[in-house]
């Protein structure tokens, strides 16, 4: 009794005084170590271990320590109690133990096979924190940042080019998963997993979650080494869209799962699943975009006599942050996928809202999201390291792991090479062999694959998938991430490319062959042209301070409405300097190609400050010309002949 | 069975897809509403409801909706189960229900009187999130920001003056709690609470938690209206130190609690408690400062041939953020009080580390902490509003609540007026009557009182205290916070004071009477003088890029060490412009008062750029002179006579 009292009092004190502090401190410590290591590495130009790899390594070591240096502190570890009175698990359980009522909160269902001695190790349990924290708190900043800088990539490299690349990347998406599925299916047929309920949908599930690539390590190195912008954009666009599709697909599959006969191939169910997929994707897209549009409208508001929000940078930043996060949370709450929503929210925010922010807020939001991205990423990678030892229900199945590794690589190879071949047929500027190899090599798996895998670890197949996914992440981040620099050298990919210098050097030497290029490009991209025309003429004036006044773009009879909606500043200096720096005006696709494509490209520095509408068009053409020149000069100077 | 399956599957889906998202969304929604409201108010110059009050109001409404619009979703609400096999509550409970093992996590002990119908309302439960989230995540940024800007207040107003004020504020601290205790004790004697175990320590506990004031609302209004800087500093310093003491005291009392006979007055235990108090305070102080010193050293590092950390602003910001947070967490984990640690960490960071940051990082960290402070504050106030309806075990005792209100006001009155009288005896620049009234009026209770109260709500007295504390917070924030502007007008306190203008206007007119003032001030503050001499001569050169080179301040025989420790930049331009702006060099207290007090005060703008050591002293004196002039001209122009 004495001992019991002591035990309870210790627990009480623990609860009262430093609950949670120790666990957070462990993460803080790991992150500090990681940052110091990165600093050290940066000093020595050491690129074999990226920060994410470092974070993972430290997490691994810490997990090892926690696993084997702490003991199961609880007396009652791994004992299962019977309770006949209950028929289902309530979310809160009140239990009367020696005249003291204890409140217990439902955590999860657990299979009998999962009950083991580590169940009671409080430290291990606390370290493996709730997957919902991943989804709701750590992932959104990363994805939002990706969306937000996807736009920046567009701008700082090639705007039109990027869109083209994105449409190409879309075609990279589908086969990956099917091949993964084929491999997993083959694994099942070998008979290794006969004992379990390993369904058709489980294979699909694993296939789709493993197809979410995470190029963050590779892109960081590319950025540092100034690798060819062409390759950068290709890889970035591919992986971001790939992730979005992987997430929605995983989700649709998990909805498809609880069917009558999960092993059979049910055509109706498949169509329903495809419908789900499309619906969820569209819904998430709409949700994300609409939040961004709301933000843009609020930050715009020239309708009322209000002081502009941008005069209160703190409120502006706060609103921006909260609305973007809400896009994620609303989508999740509505049964859509928040990650897709927040991705497109980021893109839309960068396209519209960013223009309305005060210079101070532009800086603030950029730095804030950068910082959150940095922290969240490192926390996730630390946690992955930790999870290898602290997660309680790993199932290591060597054959499945081997199969998964093979599947991952073969699927990527079957994806990259044939598709590049197909794309090269229709592409004037071919994707060179070494780029293809590099893209093949950059198929890292990271945070998203992990997050998708940890969401559901109830059944044995899911646990095995989780363990396997974790190992694939470890391997790819360390081996591929570490091997990026040698691989770049070995493949003789151009590094040290300064996009601005390229721009300048090539602009003066090759202004002759633009015309034909321009027209062909403009023809091939008619869908984008329509969209950009609409965007430039109507959306930008309504949502931002840039673009032509609505009174000039809308028909005559809309004039009263147009005047109401147009920002007073739109009549004057529509194109401010900071706007041209960031959000490039897309006239080149809509008006100028046809009307003024014969005007020789102006020297950008030599052009006068654009103030009126006429001037803007000239300025735009200058930019457009540059970009189209860069388009076929970067990486492939020999491709300048006509198609 | 069918229904059960459906029920389980709904729960499963809920767990898988939007666990946590809805709750976070509610908070996001409340915060967005709050921000929009603030914006609206700022447009209309409406100051009767501060953002914190608004956040609380919205929280309240939302709490009301959640409470009465949602039903107890759980079948098993409020049923207590017996389990004879257990002897104590394990941290994890595995229960076998209809052949499915459920894992339950220990949440809390619960008294029989707390078991009620709302126990099973999952929504209510999720909304009342873990108090440890407050302590470990939401409070640190607020307190750190206070510490970080305490320094800024020092600088932008009066450095020396502030220190003087702080030492005065220290004397404000003690009586508050004792008077509170007296009142609570009287309440107990009335007999209202006879049935419960309402201990001596409980009274002390309540007294000390209620003495933590939160001036954030009032200070925000002061700042907006440019209220007299003197009053601002006085109130800010008082409340920050008050909070620190309140927290440590609450903690020491809760350690003192589990004694043999809690009602008796035990002298030994009291002394032990005082010892605890001092030990914890000193320990927390040391913990916080040492983390800041480590940060300063890392961001300094001129010892190695490393690239300076400040060339990687992201790493720098990350390290700054993580180390400051670690100060909090380490203190909590070590059984000290994190809030005190993080407060002094903030002060020390601003004093040393801030100087070593790159201009980019200075901006980044400042904005980051500002933003986190803003968000955390509004989340806490929203939550307070929510808690009034969603918290499950309120005990409203009208008499106790009335007594607490009386106690709070009488205690503050007994604190402010007599102490101001005493301080005025020794003060040349008296605290005027209207300032005293305003300070009396500004005794708002806020986040810290709430956080201290919610930490422990097990016993009935603690629950009653929590409810009462919550009501006091509501009342003071709405009534006092809203009444600040009318009160300022009524008390005829000067608003619209621009410290810089004051500085300029007075500097030219009143440079004659400085000498005597300087010497008296310097004498009265000998302790600060010693500290600042030490700080300036040794600590600043070791920890920052500013201050004189160590080779000149250390004795001859230390030269080799001194040369090793001195930053190369210290020999050249010790006082950069941005440094003088922020961290004022404190020579005025150490060297110049004695050696060169007779030199007429230079015009600041007219002085030449300081490059050598001699020049710096002149520059410092210029600043020092201004400050001492401002000292007795702001607010009290009639007080210029000698003592």
């Amino acid at each position: 009794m004495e001992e019991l009292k002591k035990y309870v009092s210790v627990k009480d004190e623990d609860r009262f005084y430093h609950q949670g502090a120790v666990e957070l401190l462990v993460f803080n410590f790991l992150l500090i170590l990681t940052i110091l290591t990165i600093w050290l590495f940066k000093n020595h130009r050491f690129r074999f271990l990226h920060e994410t790899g470092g974070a993972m390594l430290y997490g691994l070591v810490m997990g090892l320590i926690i696993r084997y240096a702490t003991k199961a502190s609880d007396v009652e570890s791994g004992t299962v109690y019977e309770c006949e009175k209950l028929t289902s698990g309530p979310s809160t359980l009140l239990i009367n133990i020696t005249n003291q009522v204890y409140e217990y909160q439902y955590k999860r269902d657990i299979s009998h096979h999962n009950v083991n001695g580590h169940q009671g190790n409080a430290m291990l349990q606390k370290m493996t924190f709730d997957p919902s924290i991943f989804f709701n708190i750590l992932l959104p900043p990363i994805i939002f940042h990706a969306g937000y800088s996807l736009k920046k990539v567009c701008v700082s490299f090639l705007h039109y080019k990027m869109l083209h690349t994105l449409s190409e990347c879309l075609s990279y998406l589908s086969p990956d998963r099917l091949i993964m599925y084929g491999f997993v299916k083959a694994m099942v047929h070998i008979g290794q997993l006969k004992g379990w309920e390993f369904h058709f949908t489980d294979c699909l599930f694993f296939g789709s979650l493993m197809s979410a690539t995470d190029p963050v390590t590779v892109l960081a190195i590319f950025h540092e080494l100034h690798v060819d912008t062409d390759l950068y954009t290709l890889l970035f666009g591919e992986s971001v869209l790939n992730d979005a599709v992987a997430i929605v697909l995983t989700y649709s599959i998990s909805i498809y799962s609880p069917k009558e006969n999960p092993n059979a191939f049910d055509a109706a169910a498949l169509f329903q699943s495809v419908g789900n997929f499309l619906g969820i994707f569209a819904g998430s897209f709409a949700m994300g975009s609409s939040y961004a549009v709301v933000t843009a409208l609020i930050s715009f508001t020239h309708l009322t006599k209000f002081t502009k929000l941008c005069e209160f940078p703190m409120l502006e930043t706060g609103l921006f942050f909260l609305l973007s996060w809400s896009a994620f949370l609303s989508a999740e709450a509505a049964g859509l996928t928040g990650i897709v929503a927040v991705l497109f929210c980021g893109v839309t925010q960068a396209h519209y809202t960013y223009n309305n922010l005060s210079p101070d807020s532009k800086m603030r939001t950029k730095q804030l999201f950068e910082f959150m991205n940095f922290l969240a990423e490192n926390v996730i990678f630390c946690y992955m390291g930790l999870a290898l030892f602290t997660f309680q229900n790993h199932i290591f199945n060597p054959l499945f792991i081997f199969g998964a590794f093979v599947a991952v690589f073969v699927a990527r190879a079957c994806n990259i090479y044939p598709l590049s071949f197909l794309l090269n047929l229709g592409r004037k500027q071919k994707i060179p062999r070494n780029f293809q190899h590099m893209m093949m090599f950059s198929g890292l798996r990271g945070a998203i694959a992990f997050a998708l895998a940890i969401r559901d670890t109830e059944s044995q197949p899911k646990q095995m998938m989780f363990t396997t996914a974790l190992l694939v992440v470890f391997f790819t981040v360390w081996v591929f991430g570490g091997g990026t620099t040698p691989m770049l050298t070995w493949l003789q990919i151009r590094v040290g490319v300064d996009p601005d210098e390229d721009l300048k050097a090539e602009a003066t030497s090759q202004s002759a062959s633009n015309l034909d290029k321009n027209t062909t490009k403009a023809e091939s991209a008619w869908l984008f042209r329509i969209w950009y025309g609409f965007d430039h003429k109507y959306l930008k004036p309504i949502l931002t301070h840039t673009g032509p006044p609505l009174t000039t773009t809308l028909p005559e009879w809309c004039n009263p409405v147009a005047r109401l909606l147009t920002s007073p500043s739109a009549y004057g200096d529509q194109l401010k300097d900071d706007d041209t720096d960031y959000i490039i005006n897309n006239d080149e696709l809509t008006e100028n190609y046809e009307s003024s494509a014969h005007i020789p490209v102006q020297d950008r520095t030599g052009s006068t400050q654009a103030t009126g509408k006429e001037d803007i068009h000239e300025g735009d053409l200058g930019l457009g010309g540059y970009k189209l020149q860069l388009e076929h000069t970067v990486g492939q100077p020999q491709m300048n002949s006509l198609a």
Side-chain angles (χ1 to χ4, degrees), chain A:
Chain A
M1 188 61 195
E2 188 55 39
E3 202 184 52
L4 174 69
K5 198 178 167 188
K6 194 179 145 206
Y7 167 72
V8 168
S9 109
V10 166
K11 204 170 64 183
D12 276 357
E13 198 178 308
D14 176 78
R15 195 191 57 233
F16 196 84
Y17 298 120
H18 39 81
Q19 189 190 43
V22 178
E23 294 84 57
L24 284 169
L25 193 61
V26 169
F27 275 98
N28 267 19
F29 174 70
L30 290 176
L31 290 176
I32 291 168
L33 262 185
T34 307
I35 289 179
L36 290 176
T37 315
I38 302 167
W39 183 31
L40 189 78
F41 284 2
K42 290 210 175 194
N43 268 296
H44 293 284
R45 306 248 178 288
F46 186 82
R47 290 197 191 87
F48 294 100
L49 189 62
H50 184 61
E51 56 196 63
T52 49
M56 222 152 71
L57 190 65
Y58 286 125
L60 199 73
V61 172
M62 182 58 80
L64 204 64
I65 293 169
I66 292 172
R67 174 75 179 234
Y68 294 106
T70 64
K71 276 176 296 183
S73 56
D74 227 317
V75 197
E76 312 286 343
S77 76
T79 319
V80 181
Y81 297 92
E82 299 290 329
C83 203
E84 294 84 9
K85 285 169 208 153
L86 284 163
T87 48
S88 70
S91 70
T92 304
L93 195 63
L94 300 175
I95 289 191
N96 190 353
I97 301 164
T98 55
N99 266 331
Q100 169 72 46
V101 180
Y102 290 87
E103 185 175 342
Y104 280 85
Q105 198 158 29
Y106 172 80
K107 201 180 162 199
R108 54 174 182 155
D109 298 359
I110 196 169
S111 309
H112 284 281
H113 61 89
N114 290 337
V115 178
N116 61 40
H118 278 286
Q119 216 63 49
N121 189 329
M123 191 67 190
L124 280 189
Q125 273 194 337
K126 279 174 189 167
M127 275 305 169
T128 48
F129 59 74
D130 201 332
S132 75
I133 292 177
F134 270 118
F135 260 80
N136 295 327
I137 296 167
L138 293 173
L139 266 189
I142 297 179
I143 312 293
F144 182 84
H145 185 74
Y148 207 59
S149 42
L150 183 68
K151 183 70 198 182
K152 260 197 297 180
V153 169
C154 300
V155 173
S156 59
F157 303 123
L158 303 162
H159 191 104
Y160 165 72
K161 172 66 173 296
M162 183 70 200
L163 286 168
H164 200 86
T165 312
L166 283 188
S167 66
E168 282 179 359
C169 292
L170 272 175
S171 59
Y172 271 123
L173 296 173
S174 40
D176 216 357
R177 273 156 274 266
L178 287 178
I179 295 159
M180 282 297 292
Y181 161 66
F183 263 86
V184 177
K185 196 77 196 165
M187 292 290 312
V188 177
H189 272 287
I190 287 170
Q192 182 72 16
L193 315 167
K194 274 256 169 75
W196 305 349
E197 295 182 33
F198 205 100
H199 301 313
F200 166 75
T201 49
D202 284 337
C203 305
L204 269 182
F205 182 83
F206 187 65
S208 65
L209 82 85
M210 283 317 292
S211 68
T213 57
D214 182 357
V216 66
T217 315
V218 177
L219 288 180
I221 296 169
F222 279 16
H223 187 75
E224 209 172 295
L225 293 172
H226 297 285
V227 165
D228 198 305
T229 51
D230 213 11
L231 180 58
Y232 188 98
T233 359
L234 213 56
L235 192 62
F236 189 88
E238 184 238 339
S239 72
V240 166
L241 280 181
N242 206 352
D243 286 356
V245 174
I247 291 159
V248 178
L249 203 60
T250 312
Y251 182 80
S252 329
I253 290 166
S254 63
I255 288 181
Y256 173 83
S257 288
K259 277 281 149 196
E260 299 304 311
N261 182 4
N263 258 317
F265 184 85
D266 182 352
L270 185 75
F271 278 113
Q272 200 199 325
S273 203
V274 171
N276 274 343
F277 172 81
L278 293 176
I280 290 166
F281 201 95
S284 307
F285 175 83
M287 182 78 84
S289 313
S290 54
Y291 268 96
V293 166
V294 168
T295 319
L297 279 175
I298 291 175
S299 64
F300 188 34
T301 32
H302 55 273
L303 289 174
T304 61
K305 286 192 183 97
F306 268 31
T307 325
K308 291 237 164 52
L309 189 61
C310 63
E311 289 180 26
F312 311 106
M314 180 64 82
L315 300 185
E316 202 179 15
T317 314
L319 207 61
F320 195 146
F321 169 78
L322 290 170
L323 279 170
S324 304
W325 194 14
S326 295
F328 179 92
L329 295 172
S330 308
E332 284 286 310
L336 304 165
T337 53
I339 295 180
V340 174
V342 84
L343 174 71
F344 287 106
C345 180
V347 174
T348 318
Q349 296 279 31
H351 195 62
Y352 299 114
T353 316
Y354 190 85
N355 284 309
N356 300 334
L357 295 180
S358 62
D360 188 19
S361 269
K362 279 186 191 178
M363 202 64 182
R364 263 172 197 256
T365 50
K366 228 186 76 188
Q367 290 181 345
L368 183 71
F369 291 126
E370 239 174 68
F371 182 70
M372 290 197 305
N373 173 57
F374 174 79
L375 272 194
E377 213 169 79
N378 283 310
V379 169
I380 289 188
F381 277 89
C382 270
Y383 183 79
M384 279 194 236
L386 271 175
L388 190 60
F389 288 105
T390 60
F391 187 74
Q392 293 152 41
N393 303 116
H394 278 301
I395 296 181
F396 290 94
N397 182 325
L399 189 61
F400 187 79
I401 292 167
F402 174 77
F405 268 87
V406 173
V408 163
F409 302 127
V410 173
R412 188 145 182 102
C414 295
N415 204 8
I416 298 285
Y417 297 113
L419 275 169
S420 297
F421 175 77
L422 283 177
L423 284 172
N424 275 344
L425 292 181
R427 229 179 124 113
K428 271 183 291 298
Q429 182 206 343
K430 305 273 186 257
I431 301 169
R433 270 278 148 194
N434 58 353
F435 278 27
Q436 293 177 24
H437 295 319
M438 196 64 223
M439 281 180 76
M440 167 71 207
F441 190 77
S442 308
L444 274 65
R445 303 305 192 271
I448 294 175
F450 177 77
L452 288 173
I454 207 178
R455 258 204 159 171
D456 186 2
T457 54
E458 280 312 309
S459 63
Q460 276 174 313
K462 292 272 162 67
Q463 284 169 11
M464 190 178 68
M465 285 178 195
F466 173 69
T467 307
T468 310
L470 198 58
L471 290 174
V472 171
V473 171
F474 276 105
F475 181 80
T476 54
V477 167
W478 282 335
V479 175
F480 288 8
T484 304
T485 322
M487 201 66 177
L488 280 172
T489 322
W490 193 63
L491 291 172
Q492 297 180 306
I493 291 175
R494 209 153 65 107
V495 296
V497 178
D498 182 350
D500 293 330
E501 265 184 24
D502 256 32
L503 202 99
K504 214 167 184 173
E506 309 293 343
T508 47
S509 64
Q510 301 183 1
S511 54
S513 58
N514 273 323
L515 170 62
D516 345 68
K517 293 277 137 112
N518 288 0
T519 43
T520 28
K521 286 286 171 193
E523 274 159 21
S524 71
W526 63 271
L527 191 68
F528 293 123
R529 202 172 45 177
I530 291 169
W531 162 249
Y532 270 95
F534 180 72
D535 178 49
H536 178 67
K537 278 191 193 155
Y538 307 112
L539 291 182
K540 281 228 165 172
I542 291 172
L543 295 173
T544 73
H545 293 294
T546 61
L550 271 181
T551 39
T552 60
T553 54
L554 278 179
E556 195 84 10
W557 55 269
C558 298
N559 257 355
V561 181
R563 216 166 296 140
L564 195 71
L565 285 171
T566 303
S567 153
S569 66
Y571 296 103
D573 47 352
Q574 290 104 313
L575 274 178
K576 292 165 211 139
D577 264 350
D578 58 341
D579 180 59
T580 28
D581 276 0
Y582 254 89
I583 310 294
I584 285 180
N585 211 295
N586 306 99
D587 276 342
E588 69 264 30
L589 288 169
T590 58
E591 296 159 40
N592 294 323
Y593 282 24
E594 290 79 3
S595 67
S596 53
H598 291 269
I599 300 171
V601 173
Q602 289 197 324
D603 190 277
R604 189 183 183 178
T605 46
S607 72
T608 51
Q609 186 62 35
T611 47
K613 200 168 181 304
E614 263 30 73
D615 290 342
I616 292 160
H617 282 218
E618 277 186 35
D620 278 351
L621 184 69
L623 270 171
Y626 277 124
K627 289 198 296 176
L628 288 161
Q629 277 157 16
L630 186 52
E631 158 90 63
H632 51 85
T633 51
V634 168
Q636 289 296 97
Q638 75 279 10
M639 295 305 298
N640 273 331
S641 62
L642 295 179

